């Protein structure tokens, strides 16, 4: 990667916060988040499997997953960072898996990219609509179990946190939007990293037998040493090297690097949010990473589109036109077009048009097309985040308090009556849908403006005096996305099972 | 590399594997204990709703085919086994959306006319609703019936 190295000035290190910082730096500090989330996941799975009523509005699995998790994840990414990956309960069985595996092999090279993540995202959103996951506590519980199983199996077989880096759809979402987060891992003193002998941030400080590493020699004598041993911690599971970290992409904020570093040279620094979106060197020139970011922005639109009346008319119309009645096939077609084909066509088309508008006459070479596409891909982060926040925020805001009677009901089911025998089912949201509509508009417009500004800056960085021409195709794409988002969110919500629609 | 070293190293690795396997076995046993406890707990679970006394002779009907978002009056018909109307029951309706995070709608009527109970109700959003009708007779017996409604947006 070329370009000026961006190193955030460490004005505030979150790890210097009293109590919290010290707890997070401890060897088992991550368990502070992981154990509560594991308990929550276990509760969701338990309620999803055992509730005899199987009513989505009254079950912890559906309320917890589709209302609270989705809403809180957006808040966490905006206000802090990738907290869910930091506290991911799915990685706890990995410890067991690691002990069972003899020696992990590397994930196949052909799969060591983001294409599986994109496929996973596509699959999850398609399943969500086809099987009406939002209405089924049982299926939601199975989804959570499937995540545990996939994490366990992949960790047992492969190294380099293959599940986290290359497969997990939730991780793909979190990595993408943590690029706007205000916290980032960085080295305090890069000169110290250059002198570091063990590079424990990536190699880990764990060794089966104690090993003494010499940090500094003066006069032929070691004056500074440190010891790695069985009490050490593993290095970055995703093989990110701290001095080279320029982005939150692929960083799970597990803080293993912090714990492993013998020099206390790793900080969780507060930075300008979305700063890395302007750093061209922070983004690899790859189709898979760029397409993951682009596809997520379009999936935000299609996921919201799936909840409004026009989608039912579309599916019915397609069924009549094609004669295909299988809802899985119809949905697959609609999502393939909306989540993959249209984003690919629009963005590759915009990249091609950009090169035509600014470049020499003739067919743009594939590598230039890829580089242009990859350069503008980060500009899709703000608009994608705006739409996701408008959608997930809506469900969270109008249903935030429903967890109280649902949990109360759960306790009553198990004869625990400390809060009384009758849940207060009137508890709903912290605002009405009409009140939140204003916030939705702000989020969409804010996302759109962010994307426009970003694309304009990227165009100026890459194309100099021809920046405006380069920017035009992307401005058009963002305008279309914003208008579509406004149209979708202006429709009344109407959640119906897909089986009802296709007659 | 001497044979002694090979033998010692093999022995050491076997011990290491044994220690690792023991730890893995311990963790597996812990996991199985947790799963067993969860299964036991699940067996003790009971619905929070009081059990209705089914009476096949009581007929409860409610037409939901024209449901539209907004305030409305739902008409529940309650009749006995001979088809005679029951007017002294209490009829309660709870409507839950099939999507999580929605507040239920509630309505009730304490008296009927000619077996018809007019229950004020509000469909707050379009979509699929699960409607539970609970009828409490004068003698205290309760009957429950669950229906699905597809509420259209006007």
């Amino acid at each position: 990667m070329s370009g000026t190295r961006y190193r955030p000035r460490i004005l505030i290190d979150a790890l210097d916060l009293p109590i919290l910082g010290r707890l997070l730096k401890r060897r088992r500090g991550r368990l502070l988040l992981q154990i509560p989330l594991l308990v929550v996941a276990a509760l969701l799975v338990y309620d999803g499997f055992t509730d005899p009523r199987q009513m989505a509005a009254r079950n912890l699995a559906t309320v917890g997953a589709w209302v609270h998790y989705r809403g809180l994840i957006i808040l966490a990414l905006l206000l802090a960072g990738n907290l869910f990956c930091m506290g991911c309960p799915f990685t706890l069985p990995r410890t067991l898996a690691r002990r069972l595996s003899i020696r992990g092999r590397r994930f196949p090279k052909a799969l060591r990219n983001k294409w599986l993540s994109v496929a996973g995202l596509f699959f999850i959103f398609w399943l969500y609509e086809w099987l009406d996951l939002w209405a089924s506590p049982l299926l939601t519980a199975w989804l959570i179990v499937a995540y545990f199983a996939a994490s366990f199996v992949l960790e047992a077989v492969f190294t380099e946190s293959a599940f986290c880096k290359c497969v997990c759809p939730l991780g793909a979402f979190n990595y993408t939007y943590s690029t706007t987060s205000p916290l980032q891992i960085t080295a305090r003193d890069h000169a110290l990293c250059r002198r570091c002998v063990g590079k424990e941030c990536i190699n880990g400080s764990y060794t089966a037998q104690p090993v003494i590493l010499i940090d500094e020699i003066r006069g032929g004598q070691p004056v500074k040493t440190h010891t790695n041993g069985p009490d050490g911690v593993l290095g970055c599971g995703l093989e990110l090297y701290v001095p080279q970290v320029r982005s939150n992409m692929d960083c799970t904020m597990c803080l293993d690097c912090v714990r492993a570093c013998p020099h206390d040279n790793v900080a969780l620094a507060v930075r300008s949010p979305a700063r890395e979106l302007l750093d061209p060197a922070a983004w690899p020139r790859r189709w898979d990473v760029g397409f993951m970011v682009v596809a997520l922005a379009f999936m935000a639109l299609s996921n919201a589109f799936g909840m409004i009346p026009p989608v039912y008319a579309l599916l019915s119309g397609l069924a009549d036109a094609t004669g295909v009645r299988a809802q899985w096939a119809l949905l697959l077609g609609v999502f393939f077009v909306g989540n993959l084909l249209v984003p690919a066509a629009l963005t590759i088309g915009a990249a091609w048009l950009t090169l035509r508008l600014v470049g020499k006459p003739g067919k743009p070479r594939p590598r230039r097309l890829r580089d242009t596409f990859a350069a503008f891909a980060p500009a899709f982060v703000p608009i994608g985040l705006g739409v996701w926040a408008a959608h997930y925020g809506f469900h969270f805001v109008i249903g935030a308090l429903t967890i109280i009677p649902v949990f109360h009901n759960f306790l009553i089911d198990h004869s625990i009556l400390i809060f009384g025998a009758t849940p207060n089912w009137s508890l709903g949201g912290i605002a009405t849908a009409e009140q939140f509509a204003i916030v939705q508009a702000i989020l969409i417009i804010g996302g759109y403006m962010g994307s426009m500004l970003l694309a304009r800056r990227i165009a100026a960085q890459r194309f100099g005096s021809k920046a405006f021409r380069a920017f035009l195709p992307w401005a058009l794409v963002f305008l279309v996305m914003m208008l579509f988002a406004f149209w979708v969110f202006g429709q009344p919500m109407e959640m119906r099972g897909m089986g009802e629609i296709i007659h | 590399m001497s044979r002694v070293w090979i033998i010692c190293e093999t022995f050491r690795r076997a011990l290491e594997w044994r220690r690792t396997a023991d730890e893995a076995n311990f963790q597996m046993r812990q996991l199985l204990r947790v799963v067993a406890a969860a299964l036991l707990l699940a067996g003790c679970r009971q619905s929070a709703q009081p059990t209705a006394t089914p009476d096949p002779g009581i007929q409860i009907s409610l037409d939901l085919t024209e449901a539209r978002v907004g305030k409305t009056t739902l008409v529940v018909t309650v009749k006995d086994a001979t088809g005679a109307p029951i007017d002294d029951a209490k009829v309660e309706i709870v409507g839950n959306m099939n999507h999580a995070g929605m507040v239920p709608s509630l309505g009730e009527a304490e008296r009927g006319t000619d077996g018809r109970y007019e229950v004020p109700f509000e469909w707050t959003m379009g979509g699929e609703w699960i409607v539970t009708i609970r009828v409490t007779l004068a003698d205290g017996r309760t009957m429950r019936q669950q229906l699905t409604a597809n509420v259209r947006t006007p």
Side-chain angles (χ1 to χ4, degrees):
Chain A
M1 290 183 188
S2 58
T4 310
R5 187 161 298 205
Y6 167 62
R7 291 174 181 166
R9 286 173 57 215
I10 304 172
L11 296 172
I12 301 170
D13 179 0
L15 299 175
D16 285 340
L17 291 171
I19 303 172
L20 180 66
R22 209 167 37 205
L23 285 172
L24 285 174
K25 279 162 112 170
R26 291 179 71 166
R27 189 161 166 254
R28 299 193 195 282
R30 199 178 176 191
L31 291 176
L32 276 176
L33 269 182
Q34 286 183 309
I35 288 176
L37 284 180
L38 180 66
V39 169
V40 168
L43 267 177
L44 266 52
V45 169
Y46 173 78
D47 202 24
F49 280 129
T50 63
D51 184 1
R53 290 175 298 270
Q54 289 294 309
M55 210 181 282
R58 299 195 170 196
N59 189 280
L60 287 173
T62 36
V63 173
W66 307 120
V67 176
H68 292 79
Y69 164 71
R70 295 195 307 182
L72 291 172
I73 200 115
I74 294 287
L75 270 176
L77 288 170
L78 282 170
L79 297 177
N82 201 348
L83 293 183
F84 181 76
C85 285
M86 182 196 274
C88 180
F90 304 128
T91 59
L92 277 174
R94 286 171 50 195
T95 312
L96 180 61
R98 274 190 184 156
R99 293 183 190 277
L100 292 176
S101 73
I102 298 169
R103 187 177 180 86
R105 66 197 77 159
R106 286 206 81 186
F107 206 48
K109 190 176 178 186
L111 299 176
R112 239 181 284 149
N113 47 51
K114 296 298 182 187
W115 292 120
L116 266 183
S117 296
V118 174
L121 283 164
F122 178 85
F123 183 66
I124 286 287
F125 288 128
W126 169 70
L127 265 189
Y128 177 81
E129 296 295 343
W130 172 40
L131 299 177
D132 303 332
L133 296 183
W134 38 269
S136 173
L138 180 67
L139 291 179
T140 302
W142 271 117
L143 184 67
I144 298 170
V145 168
Y147 259 93
F148 275 105
S151 173
F152 185 88
V153 166
L154 284 171
E155 191 61 23
V157 177
F158 301 107
T159 59
E160 201 185 338
S161 296
F163 178 75
C164 298
K165 200 167 187 176
C166 304
V167 179
C168 181
L170 296 179
F173 183 96
N174 292 340
Y175 296 147
T176 300
Y177 296 114
S178 68
T179 55
T180 63
S181 299
L183 292 174
Q184 182 191 316
I185 287 287
T186 189
R188 293 177 199 273
D189 178 356
H190 285 76
L192 182 54
C193 292
R194 279 196 293 275
R195 295 193 302 269
C196 177
V197 173
K199 312 286 190 228
E200 279 86 351
C201 58
I202 192 167
N203 293 325
S205 58
Y206 169 82
T207 52
Q209 301 296 328
V211 172
I212 300 172
L213 280 85
I214 302 168
D215 297 307
E216 202 175 320
I217 294 177
R218 257 187 255 143
Q221 295 296 320
V223 295
K224 196 175 170 193
T225 63
H226 70 271
T227 306
N228 292 342
D231 287 338
V233 296
L234 301 170
C236 180
L238 289 101
E239 298 189 0
L240 302 175
Y241 180 46
V242 170
Q244 290 182 343
V245 168
R246 316 169 72 131
S247 164
N248 277 335
M249 184 65 73
D250 287 345
C251 178
T252 58
M253 278 177 60
C254 66
L255 305 183
D256 278 349
C257 53
V258 173
R259 298 181 194 103
C261 178
H263 314 295
D264 192 22
N265 197 39
V266 182
L268 185 59
V270 174
R271 62 170 194 180
S272 305
R275 174 66 178 81
E276 66 179 87
L277 298 178
L278 290 165
D279 181 3
W283 290 83
R285 283 174 285 184
R286 284 162 45 184
W287 286 109
D288 59 313
V289 175
F291 192 70
M292 180 180 73
V293 175
V294 166
L296 264 171
F298 281 86
M299 285 173 185
L301 294 171
S302 68
N303 194 234
F305 179 64
M307 294 190 181
I308 57 173
V311 74
Y312 309 122
L314 173 66
L315 290 168
S316 278
L318 279 173
D320 292 338
T322 60
V324 174
R325 298 287 161 194
Q327 51 174 287
W328 68 265
L330 287 169
L331 283 168
L332 198 63
V334 169
F335 280 122
F336 177 76
V337 170
N339 290 346
L340 300 179
L341 199 61
V342 166
L346 282 180
T347 51
I348 295 172
W352 180 86
L353 197 56
T354 292
L355 290 172
R356 292 291 288 186
L357 288 172
V358 306
K360 296 172 187 172
K363 197 173 166 185
R365 294 192 306 260
R367 189 176 286 185
R368 283 186 69 209
L369 192 68
R370 180 201 68 186
D371 291 353
T372 305
F373 169 83
F376 282 93
F380 283 82
V381 170
I383 195 166
L385 184 60
V387 179
W388 282 119
H391 182 189
Y392 286 175
F394 170 78
H395 287 295
F396 180 70
V397 160
I398 67 168
L401 301 179
T402 56
I403 194 73
I404 298 171
V406 169
F407 186 64
H408 187 182
N409 200 47
F410 174 82
L411 293 177
I412 294 170
D413 275 357
H414 296 83
S415 306
I416 301 169
L417 302 174
I418 50 172
F419 299 115
T422 310
N424 181 3
W425 292 110
S426 66
L427 288 174
I430 50 182
T432 64
E434 292 74 27
Q435 289 165 339
F436 193 69
I438 304 163
V439 177
Q440 284 180 314
I442 292 170
L443 287 167
I444 293 169
I445 293 172
Y448 166 72
M449 293 305 300
S451 288
M452 291 287 277
L453 286 167
L454 209 49
R456 188 71 178 86
R457 290 280 294 268
I458 292 168
Q461 280 172 353
R462 274 187 82 83
F463 299 102
S465 58
K466 296 177 186 173
F468 184 72
R469 274 186 267 171
F471 163 68
L472 275 177
W474 304 98
L476 195 58
V477 172
F478 293 135
L479 182 65
V480 168
M481 291 177 76
M482 182 198 65
L483 291 174
F484 186 77
F486 264 112
W487 176 75
V488 167
F489 286 100
Q491 302 287 317
M493 193 174 111
E494 194 171 306
M495 294 296 297
R496 283 188 267 156
M498 286 298 165
E500 308 281 339
I501 313 307
I502 302 150
H503 309 291
Chain B
M1 208 177 285
S2 71
R3 286 179 192 166
V4 172
W5 184 90
I6 291 171
I7 291 166
C8 289
E9 186 63 15
T10 307
F11 190 64
R12 186 190 69 77
R13 286 190 186 192
L15 277 178
E16 179 79 18
W17 181 86
R18 173 67 187 270
R19 183 179 67 83
T20 307
D22 280 347
E23 282 183 36
N25 286 340
F26 174 72
Q27 288 186 354
M28 190 63 85
R29 286 197 298 272
Q30 294 288 81
L31 189 63
L32 285 172
R33 283 190 192 117
V34 167
V35 170
L39 288 171
L40 198 64
L41 206 59
C44 301
R45 181 173 190 158
Q46 54 192 353
S47 169
Q49 300 292 326
T51 311
T53 311
D55 186 331
I58 302 294
Q59 303 161 37
I60 304 169
S61 63
L62 169 61
D63 183 11
L64 294 169
T65 50
E66 295 300 319
R68 292 259 184 273
V69 171
K71 290 186 179 167
T72 186
T73 302
L74 299 179
V75 180
V76 179
T77 308
V78 183
K79 294 181 180 173
D80 66 15
T82 65
I86 298 173
D87 289 335
D88 57 354
K90 181 179 172 187
V91 173
E92 295 164 285
I93 297 180
V94 177
N96 279 290
M97 286 211 72
N98 68 348
H99 191 286
M102 305 298 176
V103 177
S105 279
L106 307 167
E108 66 177 52
E110 299 236 335
R111 286 220 48 96
T113 306
D114 199 26
R116 289 163 54 89
Y117 293 76
E118 294 186 348
V119 182
F121 198 78
E122 184 177 8
W123 304 110
T124 52
M125 195 176 280
E128 202 170 280
W129 287 70
I130 300 159
V131 179
T132 307
I133 308 164
R134 189 170 148 199
V135 174
T136 307
L137 300 177
D139 58 10
R141 286 181 298 153
T142 59
M143 255 67 55
R144 198 176 303 123
Q145 188 167 317
Q146 207 163 60
L147 305 166
T148 308
N150 267 316
V151 179
R152 297 286 193 267
T153 312

